[in-house]
């Protein structure tokens, strides 16, 4: 079961979106995503528009629990995934898209 409690709270498994093999973490840098503008902040951070407007005046909003990270699949090689951790500890991930790279604090680009 994916939601079974693990001994280590930080341990979570990531599987290849293509072949469903378990992926290896490369322990490379995590590129946190950030959002700019009230609309983006409100939509992605799930906060009221008024609060987002206020946040936007202070600059980009960095998402602490959403980042791009490199993984390795024995079938598909290196993969950059967008990982998003919820407050309850569950993790969602998907292949990083070009627009995700435009929102990271890092400079690595897939383009
Ligand atoms: Zn794979």
């Amino acid at each position: 079961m994916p939601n079974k409690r693990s001994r280590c709270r930080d341990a979570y498994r990531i599987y290849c979106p293509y072949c469903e093999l378990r992926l290896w973490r490369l322990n490379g840098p995590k590129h946190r995503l950030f959002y700019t503008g009230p609309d983006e902040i409100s939509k992605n951070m799930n906060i009221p528009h008024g609060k987002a407007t206020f946040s936007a005046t202070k600059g980009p909003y960095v998402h602490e629990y959403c980042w791009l990270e490199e993984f390795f699949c024995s079938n598909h090689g290196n993969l950059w995934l967008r990982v998003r951790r919820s407050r309850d500890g569950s993790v969602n991930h998907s292949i990083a898209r070009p627009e995700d790279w435009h929102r990271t604090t890092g400079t690595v680009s897939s383009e």
Side-chain angles (χ1 to χ4, degrees):
M1 294 294 289
N3 288 327
K4 199 172 179 182
R5 260 169 204 270
S6 159
R7 253 186 294 167
C8 177
R9 279 194 109 210
D10 265 352
Y12 51 88
R13 296 180 172 200
I14 302 260
Y15 295 90
C16 179
Y18 301 122
C19 65
E20 299 185 342
L21 269 186
R22 187 169 175 195
L23 298 178
W24 299 95
R25 304 190 79 158
L26 297 179
N27 291 316
K30 289 177 179 176
H31 299 281
R32 293 238 159 75
L33 296 196
F34 66 84
Y35 302 104
T36 54
D39 290 339
E40 265 192 24
I41 295 173
S42 166
K43 196 176 74 173
N44 291 288
M45 301 305 298
N46 220 1
I47 58 178
H49 203 269
K51 202 176 163 194
T53 304
F54 176 70
S55 290
T57 63
K58 296 189 290 184
Y61 194 110
V62 178
H63 196 316
E64 222 181 310
Y65 300 107
C66 188
W67 64 88
L68 302 185
E69 186 177 347
E70 197 172 24
F71 290 85
F72 180 79
C73 167
S74 33
N75 283 333
H76 295 96
N78 291 28
L79 296 171
W80 280 97
L81 297 181
R82 187 174 78 147
V83 183
R84 182 172 185 151
R85 180 151 37 167
S86 308
R87 274 159 212 260
D88 64 8
S90 64
V91 169
N92 292 311
H93 65 280
S94 55
I95 292 290
R97 299 164 302 174
E99 60 261 42
D100 292 327
W101 283 110
H102 295 150
R103 297 208 175 96
T104 64
T105 49
T107 52
V108 183
S109 174
S110 59
E111 290 182 315

